[in-house]
Amino acid sequence: MAEAGLNQKENVLNDEALFENEDQDFEFDEGGLELAAKEELTREGGDGPAPFRSGAITPDGLIDEDFEAEIGTPSLNNYFQDDEETDEEFQDIAEHKILEVAGDDLYGRKVIVFAACKLPPSAQIDHQRLLEYMKHVLDQYVENDYVIVYFHFGLTSKNKPKLTWLIQIYRELDRKYKKNLKALYIVHPTNFIRILWNLFKPFIRSVKFGRKIMYVNYLHELKEHLHFDQLVVPPLVLQHDAKLVASNKPKYPYGQDSSDAGTLPTQQYGVSLQHIKSHYGCVIPPAVQQTVDYLRQNALDVEGIFRRSANAVQLKAVQKKFNHGERVDFAVEGDEHIPAVALKIFLRDLQEPLLTFDLYQPVLRLHTVEDERRVAEVRRMLHEELPEDNYQILKFIVQLLTEVVDHSAINKMNSSNLAIVFGPNLLWPKGQASLSSMGYLNNFARFLIDNYSQVFDR
């Protein structure tokens, strides 16, 4: 046993030497950009952790894990309290924008983006502090289902971290971080990833974790799973992807029939509220009315409601029915999380957020308003600046959320938990929301829930 341990340690040291050799640029720089999503990496392993998957992927097998009884309570600041102390603590790391939050994916899960090309030269960054910053960011979201998008292009011999640091990341990001990670998309993988996978096999005990890691060879493959327009893709990554597409000429994964030749008159997802009202003749969209009604009658005591994901195939079928003007019988679906996620997706898919782009900056500035004036200012904003239809839909949804909170002793979803889920789905900017702004959006959602009677009663 001791000899085996020494051999393993020796192997790790040899592997680290490979990383430290400045002549070994083949897997980092532009000359080593051969796609690696093939051969060993795409085969199912007969023993040990399963290799990564690649190509067209669906999260169906990734979202059926058991929900933890103790989901915890995320820490939110008091309403609109400035988070300057935390920002200042990691300002030297955050300013590089290596890590960003990009809203939710198509299944209602938070999207965390890591861009390797934004890593500064190793001599200019403290990787230990980077790890602490990563944990600080993830701590805000790991109690919910979430996904990570890793843009690999741009990792070079100058900015690559040590192998020991990568091993430290895997060990320190323990089950707390891994249990609700539903997918890790590795964009533009190279042979370096294959080397890493082989090196990490001795340390990875979880087959389930290995199956969460997926290759994405071209940016357009992300569109099947993410709101691509929410991702602020680094220019270097965009340029690299364009070169790959021009060189390899991949087949675009969506057929002619996938677009349905434009927007349907009955469509509800991915359109404007005006489009829905013009066809159905009602202020509350049928998708919202039906999901809220079902949840109110059947799901107030469901643990983790709005926090868990749902089966992707069923979700797509539900969206298709709503888009064709059909009524959905959620009792037949057999899962209360399906209408919950369908409601979140409806909000996120709107062409303009329910709270409108115009209210984004005013909401961010609310932390500067005195406490005693805050309720009055929020009432004024919603009554005077929000379109009447948007106001009525918002009130309808927030009322349901207050009822969920009333049952929080059973469902474990208090206003803080719901705020983290709904904040980014009620309001977002035209570009990508910064990490600092996400806190304000969440706090605003929590404020609406906790002060419902004061804010919405005219």
Side-chain angles (χ1 to χ4, degrees):
M1 293 292 291
E3 183 178 353
L6 289 174
N7 289 337
Q8 184 176 6
K9 182 176 181 182
E10 182 178 358
N11 289 337
V12 171
L13 291 175
N14 289 337
D15 293 334
E16 185 173 347
L18 171 67
F19 267 60
E20 294 305 307
N21 185 348
E22 290 300 323
D23 294 330
Q24 300 292 334
D25 290 346
F26 64 94
E27 71 268 43
F28 301 105
D29 292 331
E30 288 80 354
L33 299 177
E34 176 186 356
L35 294 179
K38 47 191 172 183
E39 298 178 356
E40 293 93 341
L41 291 172
T42 56
R43 290 202 304 262
E44 287 296 330
D47 54 354
F52 303 152
R53 291 179 284 172
S54 68
I57 47 180
T58 62
D60 298 345
L62 305 177
I63 57 182
D64 56 358
E65 297 177 323
D66 292 336
F67 188 72
E68 297 296 326
E70 297 296 333
I71 60 179
T73 301
S75 173
L76 280 178
N77 294 327
N78 292 333
Y79 302 126
F80 314 111
Q81 181 180 357
D82 202 342
D83 206 12
E84 289 182 357
E85 291 185 7
T86 303
D87 290 344
E88 290 177 1
E89 180 184 359
F90 294 105
Q91 180 60 36
D92 58 321
I93 304 296
E95 65 185 8
H96 296 293
K97 297 185 177 180
I98 302 166
L99 210 61
E100 296 283 359
V101 178
D104 292 354
D105 68 1
L106 298 182
Y107 313 102
R109 306 172 300 195
K110 196 65 59 187
V111 178
I112 313 294
V113 177
F114 188 103
C117 66
K118 294 186 178 182
L119 281 168
S122 295
Q124 298 177 17
I125 188 170
D126 183 339
H127 286 97
Q128 188 60 38
R129 280 184 52 73
L130 174 58
L131 175 55
E132 293 172 3
Y133 176 65
M134 290 167 60
K135 292 168 71 174
H136 162 71
V137 172
L138 291 175
D139 280 344
Q140 302 173 56
Y141 304 104
V142 295
E143 296 297 341
N144 305 308
D145 293 344
Y146 72 103
V147 303
I148 293 177
V149 177
Y150 168 60
F151 291 120
H152 179 62
F153 180 75
L155 190 68
T156 71
S157 59
K158 295 182 176 61
N159 68 358
K160 69 181 186 293
K162 294 181 179 179
L163 175 60
T164 51
W165 184 76
L166 297 176
I167 295 175
Q168 182 185 5
I169 286 181
Y170 182 80
R171 286 174 170 168
E172 290 200 19
L173 297 183
D174 54 19
R175 187 171 184 275
K176 167 186 174 183
Y177 299 93
K178 295 168 187 169
K179 68 177 182 178
N180 286 332
L181 174 65
K182 298 306 176 184
L184 168 57
Y185 301 102
I186 300 179
V187 182
H188 299 140
T190 67
N191 285 329
F192 168 60
I193 300 295
R194 181 174 61 187
I195 294 173
L196 267 190
W197 174 244
N198 290 328
L199 294 181
F200 269 77
K201 276 184 179 180
F203 304 97
I204 298 178
R205 302 282 190 265
S206 171
V207 173
K208 184 180 290 186
F209 180 76
R211 289 173 178 166
K212 295 179 181 182
I213 304 175
M214 305 177 186
Y215 279 118
V216 176
N217 293 327
Y218 308 99
L219 289 176
H220 65 242
E221 294 175 4
L222 288 174
K223 295 181 180 180
E224 189 175 351
H225 309 282
L226 309 174
H227 296 281
F228 189 77
D229 57 345
Q230 295 176 24
L231 297 177
V232 177
V233 184
L236 285 176
V237 175
L238 288 172
Q239 294 168 14
H240 174 59
D241 188 76
K243 291 179 182 178
L244 287 178
V245 171
S247 174
N248 299 324
K249 296 180 174 58
K251 181 179 179 181
Y252 196 70
Y254 312 112
Q256 294 293 329
D257 57 345
S258 64
S259 62
D260 284 338
T263 302
L264 297 170
T266 54
Q267 191 158 331
Q268 297 188 64
Y269 283 82
V271 295
S272 67
L273 293 174
Q274 291 77 11
H275 175 88
I276 300 172
K277 185 179 180 181
S278 66
H279 178 81
Y280 292 96
C282 52
V283 171
I284 307 297
V288 174
Q289 185 77 56
Q290 292 179 41
T291 53
V292 169
D293 287 349
Y294 185 85
L295 291 167
R296 176 174 284 124
Q297 296 172 20
N298 301 278
L300 294 182
D301 290 334
V302 174
E303 188 173 301
I305 194 66
F306 288 118
R307 202 167 188 172
R308 285 200 64 182
S309 300
N311 183 275
V313 173
Q314 289 179 278
L315 277 173
K316 288 183 178 180
V318 165
Q319 288 178 257
K320 184 176 181 179
K321 287 181 180 179
F322 277 134
N323 282 338
H324 285 82
E326 301 174 25
R327 185 169 185 84
V328 177
D329 186 352
F330 288 111
V332 174
E333 301 296 334
D335 181 2
E336 290 84 357
H337 296 290
I338 290 176
V341 177
L343 177 59
K344 291 191 298 180
I345 294 175
F346 173 86
L347 292 171
R348 190 68 215 193
D349 277 0
L350 286 172
Q351 291 182 350
E352 183 175 13
L354 184 60
L355 284 166
T356 72
F357 291 125
D358 290 341
L359 281 185
Y360 182 76
Q361 289 300 330
V363 166
L364 295 191
R365 291 194 296 266
L366 275 174
H367 72 279
T368 64
V369 177
E370 296 85 350
D371 292 347
E372 59 272 15
R373 292 186 53 247
R374 198 158 288 144
V375 169
E377 176 59 17
V378 172
R379 281 176 55 89
R380 186 201 64 77
M381 286 171 48
L382 298 185
H383 294 164
E384 298 180 10
E385 300 184 37
L386 194 64
E388 179 63 23
D389 288 357
N390 296 55
Y391 176 88
Q392 294 299 335
I393 297 169
L394 177 66
K395 180 179 179 180
F396 186 68
I397 292 173
V398 175
Q399 182 180 2
L400 171 69
L401 300 185
T402 64
E403 296 172 36
V404 173
V405 171
D406 289 341
H407 292 247
S408 60
I410 300 174
N411 62 39
K412 293 183 170 61
M413 293 301 291
N414 59 25
S415 61
S416 297
N417 294 328
L418 290 171
I420 290 177
V421 172
F422 276 90
N425 291 318
L426 293 174
L427 184 60
W428 61 86
K430 291 185 177 180
Q432 185 177 25
S434 65
L435 283 176
S436 59
S437 69
M438 294 293 286
Y440 294 129
L441 300 182
N442 295 344
N443 285 340
F444 182 71
R446 180 183 170 189
F447 187 85
L448 294 180
I449 297 169
D450 287 346
N451 298 276
Y452 171 81
S453 60
Q454 296 172 277
V455 169
F456 288 97
D457 285 355
R458 292 188 181 275

